[in-house]
Amino acid sequence: MTFTYRVNGQTPVVGGRVLVPFRTSRLAGVVTALHDEPPSMEAKTLHSVLDAVPLIDAPLMQIAEWIASYYLAPIGEVLRSMLPLQAEVRRDWSYRISEAGQKALFDSAVSGNSARSRKPVEEQMLEYRVLDFLSQVDEAREHSLRHATGATRDLLRALQQKRWIVREDISSARNAERTEKIAHLVHPETGTGDSAGRKLNANQQEMLSLLESNGGSLSVGALREHFASRSTLDTLVRRGLVRIEEKPFAFRVGKMRSSTAHIARDQLNTSQRAALDAIDAGVAARKFSVTLLHGVTGSGKTAVYLAAMQEVLAQGRSAILMVPEIGLTPAAAANLYRVFGDQVAILHSGLTNAERASQWHRIHRGECRIVVGTRSAVFAPVHDLALIVVDEEHDSSYKQEESPRYNGRDVAILRGKLTQAAVVLASATPALETYHNAREGKYKLLELRERVQQRPLPEVEIIDMRLEFQNTGEEKFFSRTLTQEIRERLDHHEQVIVLLNRRGYSSVVLCRSCGETLQCVNCAVALTHHKGALSPAALARRVPAGQRMECHYCGHRASVPRVCSKCGSDHIYFLGAGSEKIEEGLQQSFPDARIGRLDRDTVRSRHDFERVLNQLHAGELDLLVGTQMIAKGHDIHGVTLVGVVGADFALGLPDFRAAERTFQLLAQVAGRAGRGEIPGKVVLQTYSPEHYAIRYAALHDYLGFYEQELRYRRWMHYPPFTSVANVLLRSDRLELAMRYAGIVGKWVERTRLEGVRVMGPAVAPLARLKNDYRYHFILKSESREKLNSALRGLLANAVAEEVPRSNLIIDVDPQSLM
């Protein structure tokens, strides 16, 4: 929804920001249009103009409008996602005492604290302390008021509700861009004295040498890491040997090790050069094109698109590299930084607000022509965009799971179309829709069928865990084969990766007397038993470490039960295993091995991921266990064995993409083995060895999997043969969720939706999530236009029937139907 404001003496620009009054607050908004048609009601006057030039250009504004239309999202939410500049508005409030507050203060002074009040005396005293403070000033900012009186926000809110005090929003613009001081060498050949012939001491000479070895410039912060005394730098500045310049802060790329260096054509093999030539031709044509770069793991796709980005930069143009997860950003950024230096900017949600703003402004000013980041990087305000690379384009992380629910890969294609840029989609296991478009001729298809330096793909051995149990009579996490293979690799000082795509220690806790399963109080899922490390969400709430039960959907925690809450039995049984339990089992089996773990419980900041992978690169870890975050994008030459535990968990999910996701995960993690000189091997443990996703992953046969999965998709009318939307009705009250679903169901019954198939209403696979009961409809159509029209009609009817917009979720092109 857009709002109209009156302009009074200031000149806003379309695509720029303004600060406007909204209800009782001041909010930052983006100007979408300027006109002189007065609205039907009195318009408020905007407070201030924040930008003299547009921050969102015409193509990006078109993209925002398309996302809002196609994904049925409010335009304001889309624009907020595109502009990561929240740090540039200072949120602040002022308070003043009201007439009612003055009277309450007077009455308290006359009669003393009310004996009839049921409030604690301390709380009453604090209220009157606030009133007394405000009675002596015209107004007070919130920070000053709380500091002077000890008031909490809850107490101030309570006084507002009594109408004893009045709050006013005084938020304003601020320059949140960080700056840093840079020391520059003024006289590169200073010798041992300055121009006046004065001798330099040892520290001064060392500082000048350090500056010279770093190209004549270094940040003051970096200098102070080497020199404890501030006087050394001050003396050099005073003598005119060094000058200090203040400039916008340049976010430093982490020190992730990488084998990638400057890419020369003669470093590429024949297939890589052919792919590079095709991409370069698409860029040179300055016409929109989409290319699928499909290559087996280890085939050198990264080298190809880095070389293409080099050519783009040599032409003075810009490129964007998108990666699916924040955890992959440091490695990708380090690769780019080694090739492109300070031309690289990083954009993702793991940065602080100030860091994101700093990076965004560097791009907008034209200081950076190479951008790397997650899905939001597709909105980077680069100049003269020539190339967009979407790495691991199949990854579901490109789909945002809250409004606006856009797919970064699809938006990248649209941006390429609007800016006449070339788009490269890279993957060893492309999404079925992407590969289908390439086979149908909508995209250009480039294939890299062999690994670089003709290294063999790893041998894959499937272990049927049903037979393992029959032969050993024991239920074990590790088969005899996997245990033996790990021991052999450790004996030869090689490295091993073990994948279990499930967090925690035990996945289910139940009572063996009555069968009761310990479930989350907010969600219809079993709580996971954690034994040690806390998740980032739990850490933020300062939960003490130790054993706990945790919900991986809403974050609810509970203590580990000693007796059953239903029958009182102490026969509590822990079933299943997560990455934490697998790590413990490996430590018991291989006590001398150096073992690390990567999952959401151990990665508590963006630096943790980088630290563990650096240890693996440096040979400081023998064995790494983790979830899907270890499965893709990592080029670690010392890894010769990959073990996969529980390869078939995802096959049981009620989702039409379950087989595709299983195949992609297995193929990707298998590709981590044998990327160095020593051939690799994969041991894949499964209870479903006959499933086609398992069989084709073991054969490294993407085409075989694609053709079989495509037949199922055609029979069941799923993508790529139809467009799909998931419509979800939710409420924290079951009767309301059912009523909302009934309203939509009746509309579907009485409306002739030509060309659209509707399934539902039905209870969602996750029937209760984050305290909401959930019902859903699935809509399918061969026409995107007809599907969009049906969804608009459904939404309009729901609003007319007073279904709250927040209780209705429309997910177009969903990655999951859960």
Side-chain angles (χ1 to χ4, degrees):
M1 182 180 294
T2 57
F3 299 89
T4 301
Y5 285 86
R6 185 183 303 279
V7 176
N8 185 15
Q10 302 179 78
T11 309
V13 292
V14 174
R17 295 168 301 158
V18 291
L19 198 62
V20 298
F22 190 84
R23 295 177 181 164
T24 60
S25 301
R26 288 180 187 172
L27 300 177
V30 177
V31 179
T32 58
L34 294 170
H35 62 83
D36 55 6
E37 301 173 7
S40 58
M41 61 186 70
E42 182 66 22
K44 295 181 180 179
T45 302
L46 64 85
H47 180 268
S48 59
V49 174
L50 301 183
D51 305 304
V53 297
L55 298 188
I56 298 178
D57 61 17
L60 282 174
M61 190 63 78
Q62 283 182 268
I63 289 172
E65 292 168 352
W66 178 83
I67 291 175
S69 173
Y70 183 76
Y71 294 101
L72 281 80
I75 186 70
E77 291 184 354
V78 179
L79 293 171
R80 182 173 57 193
S81 298
M82 297 175 75
L83 281 177
L85 304 177
Q86 291 87 341
E88 297 189 352
V89 175
R90 178 185 285 107
R91 305 296 301 164
D92 203 356
W93 291 267
S94 69
Y95 291 85
R96 59 183 173 82
I97 191 170
S98 66
E99 290 185 9
Q102 293 277 14
K103 184 177 184 304
L105 183 61
F106 176 79
D107 291 344
S108 72
V110 172
S111 60
N113 292 330
S114 173
R116 293 172 295 176
S117 174
R118 296 182 179 178
K119 287 185 177 180
V121 173
E122 294 82 1
E123 186 174 340
Q124 294 179 55
M125 293 296 293
L126 189 55
E127 288 183 344
Y128 293 124
R129 191 183 308 156
V130 171
L131 295 177
D132 182 57
F133 181 86
L134 290 176
S135 69
Q136 301 176 50
V137 296
D138 293 333
E139 63 177 15
R141 291 178 179 269
E142 181 176 296
H143 174 75
S144 300
L145 178 61
R146 293 180 60 193
H147 179 73
T149 64
T152 63
R153 284 196 174 96
D154 288 341
L155 185 134
L156 294 178
R157 192 178 299 113
L159 290 175
Q160 277 183 266
Q161 292 172 349
K162 292 181 177 181
R163 301 189 178 180
W164 287 1
I165 63 174
V166 177
R167 187 179 82 162
E168 181 182 359
D169 192 333
I170 56 170
S171 299
S172 59
R174 68 172 175 180
N175 182 7
E177 191 167 0
R178 295 172 60 188
T179 60
E180 62 180 344
K181 291 181 178 179
I182 305 296
H184 297 282
L185 197 60
V186 176
H187 303 294
E189 298 178 359
T190 56
T192 60
D194 63 11
S195 56
R198 287 171 293 189
K199 275 295 216 182
L200 301 178
N201 64 32
N203 276 348
Q204 293 163 357
Q205 292 181 42
E206 186 181 350
M207 182 173 286
L208 293 177
S209 298
L210 182 62
L211 283 169
E212 188 173 2
S213 65
N214 282 274
S217 298
L218 201 61
S219 72
V220 171
L223 285 175
R224 286 176 178 161
E225 289 179 4
H226 288 82
F227 301 91
S229 173
R230 301 170 67 98
S231 62
T232 302
L233 179 60
D234 294 341
T235 300
L236 293 175
V237 172
R238 189 169 57 251
R239 293 187 182 183
L241 299 177
V242 173
R243 65 180 177 86
I244 303 296
E245 175 192 16
E246 190 166 356
K247 60 183 291 187
F249 177 78
F251 180 69
R252 299 290 189 263
V253 178
K255 297 179 181 178
M256 177 72 74
R257 287 191 52 178
S258 173
S259 60
T260 306
H262 188 80
I263 308 299
R265 289 187 62 85
D266 58 8
Q267 294 176 296
L268 305 179
N269 61 33
T270 303
S271 298
Q272 288 175 305
R273 286 196 295 270
L276 177 60
D277 289 340
I279 295 171
D280 284 347
V283 171
R286 289 182 176 262
K287 292 183 179 179
F288 167 61
S289 63
V290 182
T291 300
L292 171 59
L293 180 60
H294 177 216
V296 298
T297 55
S299 59
K301 297 183 291 296
T302 301
V304 171
Y305 65 64
L306 281 179
M309 294 170 78
Q310 280 180 179
E311 181 62 27
V312 165
L313 192 63
Q315 298 171 12
R317 305 183 71 192
S318 301
I320 296 173
L321 170 61
M322 297 170 62
V323 294
E325 295 181 13
I326 293 173
L328 297 177
T329 308
N335 286 341
L336 294 175
Y337 195 71
R338 286 178 174 83
V339 178
F340 305 113
D342 288 336
Q343 287 286 334
V344 178
I346 304 173
L347 283 179
H348 59 69
S349 60
L351 304 178
T352 66
N353 286 339
E355 287 171 341
R356 281 200 299 274
S358 173
Q359 294 294 287
W360 194 94
H361 282 297
R362 289 179 66 217
I363 300 165
H364 190 251
R365 288 192 298 262
E367 297 173 9
C368 303
R369 292 191 171 273
I370 302 294
V371 178
V372 58
T374 49
R375 58 177 173 263
S376 60
V378 74
F379 304 127
V382 295
H383 301 282
D384 194 10
L385 180 61
L387 176 66
I388 305 175
V389 178
V390 185
D391 198 17
E392 309 289 1
E393 66 83 28
H394 65 276
D395 200 289
S396 60
S397 297
Y398 283 120
K399 184 70 158 66
Q400 182 152 297
E401 292 305 320
E402 61 275 343
S403 183
R405 290 176 167 79
Y406 68 93
N407 190 309
R409 176 198 62 203
D410 299 339
V411 174
I413 292 171
L414 176 64
R415 186 168 188 189
K417 182 176 182 180
L418 293 176
T419 57
Q420 298 301 300
V423 180
V424 175
L425 310 178
S427 177
T429 54
L432 251 74
E433 297 92 322
T434 301
Y435 197 76
H436 184 69
N437 283 335
R439 292 284 293 268
E440 293 293 306
K442 294 180 181 179
Y443 302 160
K444 183 183 297 183
L445 178 61
L446 302 176
E447 303 259 21
L448 301 177
R449 293 187 172 90
E450 295 181 352
R451 283 186 159 185
V452 294
Q453 300 179 4
Q454 296 183 328
R455 291 171 181 153
L457 286 166
E459 171 197 351
V460 180
E461 182 175 357
I462 297 177
I463 304 299
D464 187 342
M465 295 302 287
R466 298 171 300 185
L467 295 178
E468 186 77 9
F469 177 74
Q470 292 175 14
N471 293 333
T472 64
E474 296 181 83
E475 191 77 46
K476 290 187 175 182
F477 304 128
F478 310 119
S479 63
R480 293 165 295 174
T481 300
L482 179 56
T483 302
Q484 180 182 345
E485 292 285 352
I486 293 175
R487 171 54 62 198
E488 289 180 4
R489 294 313 190 279
L490 296 179
D491 289 344
H492 289 87
H493 305 290
E494 298 167 15
Q495 292 172 301
V496 180
I497 286 178
V498 176
L499 169 78
L500 173 61
N501 198 25
R502 181 177 285 173
R503 286 168 52 205
Y505 192 81
S506 301
S507 53
V508 178
V509 178
L510 58 80
C511 173
R512 285 198 281 189
S513 294
C514 68
E516 181 75 3
T517 299
L518 187 60
Q519 287 203 324
C520 175
V521 296
N522 302 317
C523 311
V525 296
L527 290 175
T528 299
H529 174 217
H530 287 257
K531 215 176 175 184
L534 286 171
S535 68
L539 283 169
R541 293 189 290 270
R542 299 180 181 178
V543 179
Q547 295 203 41
R548 70 199 183 281
M549 306 300 298
E550 185 174 325
C551 175
H552 291 168
Y553 289 91
C554 73
H556 169 75
R557 299 172 318 282
S559 59
V560 180
R562 295 185 178 180
V563 296
C564 176
S565 60
K566 184 177 181 180
C567 71
S569 168
D570 59 0
H571 294 292
I572 303 299
Y573 191 45
F574 295 83
L575 286 174
S579 53
E580 191 179 352
K581 195 169 189 176
I582 294 300
E583 180 190 22
E584 182 180 277
L586 289 170
Q587 288 172 339
Q588 292 172 352
S589 300
F590 309 101
D592 297 330
R594 298 166 297 174
I595 301 175
R597 174 160 60 94
L598 272 181
D599 56 30
R600 290 186 183 178
D601 296 311
T602 59
V603 177
R604 300 170 184 174
S605 75
R606 65 175 184 262
H607 305 294
D608 290 337
F609 192 93
E610 184 178 345
R611 174 182 52 78
V612 174
L613 285 183
N614 276 335
Q615 290 176 330
L616 197 63
H617 274 289
E620 297 170 5
L621 291 178
D622 303 311
L623 208 155
L624 180 66
V625 58
T627 55
Q628 54 85 27
M629 62 173 60
I630 67 173
K632 55 203 170 191
H634 311 307
D635 186 24
I636 302 163
H637 288 195
V639 174
T640 59
L641 175 68
V642 169
V644 183
V645 180
D648 40 21
F649 288 156
L651 292 174
L653 296 176
D655 197 320
F656 73 94
R657 297 187 194 274
E660 181 182 13
R661 285 212 183 92
T662 300
F663 173 85
Q664 289 168 341
L665 180 63
L666 297 180
Q668 290 285 342
V669 76
R672 300 314 106 200
R675 297 173 79 95
E677 298 300 325
I678 303 174
K681 182 173 181 178
V682 180
V683 176
L684 200 161
Q685 298 182 174
T686 177
Y687 287 91
S688 306
E690 68 285 344
H691 195 284
Y692 64 96
I694 305 287
R695 288 189 289 105
Y696 285 121
L699 295 171
H700 308 287
D701 185 359
Y702 176 83
L703 186 58
F705 171 80
Y706 165 81
E707 290 175 343
Q708 183 155 348
E709 178 69 7
L710 202 68
R711 288 195 291 272
Y712 292 139
R713 297 282 185 91
R714 182 182 286 110
W715 295 337
M716 300 301 295
H717 302 283
Y718 277 117
F721 302 104
T722 62
S723 296
V724 173
N726 191 25
V727 177
L728 188 73
L729 287 307
R730 63 181 183 180
S731 174
D732 58 357
R733 294 168 53 191
L734 178 58
E735 62 272 19
L736 280 181
M738 295 176 68
R739 187 168 76 82
Y740 297 154
I743 289 171
V744 173
K746 289 178 182 177
W747 179 83
V748 170
E749 286 180 2
R750 67 173 181 266
T751 306
R752 294 179 60 85
L753 296 176
E754 183 180 352
V756 179
R757 300 177 60 178
V758 181
M759 296 183 291
V763 176
L766 284 174
R768 191 164 177 254
L769 186 65
K770 297 180 180 178
N771 211 32
D772 280 334
Y773 296 93
R774 308 161 84 241
Y775 289 80
H776 74 151
F777 297 79
I778 297 174
L779 282 70
K780 303 178 185 178
S781 179
E782 295 180 6
S783 165
R784 292 184 182 273
E785 291 76 13
K786 290 180 179 179
L787 179 63
N788 189 270
S789 177
L791 292 172
R792 290 186 175 281
L794 183 154
L795 178 59
N797 177 76
V799 171
E801 294 283 351
E802 298 183 348
V803 176
R805 186 65 180 87
S806 60
N807 293 74
L808 172 62
I809 295 175
I810 297 177
D811 191 2
V812 181
D813 300 334
Q815 287 297 303
S816 172
L817 300 178
M818 298 291 285

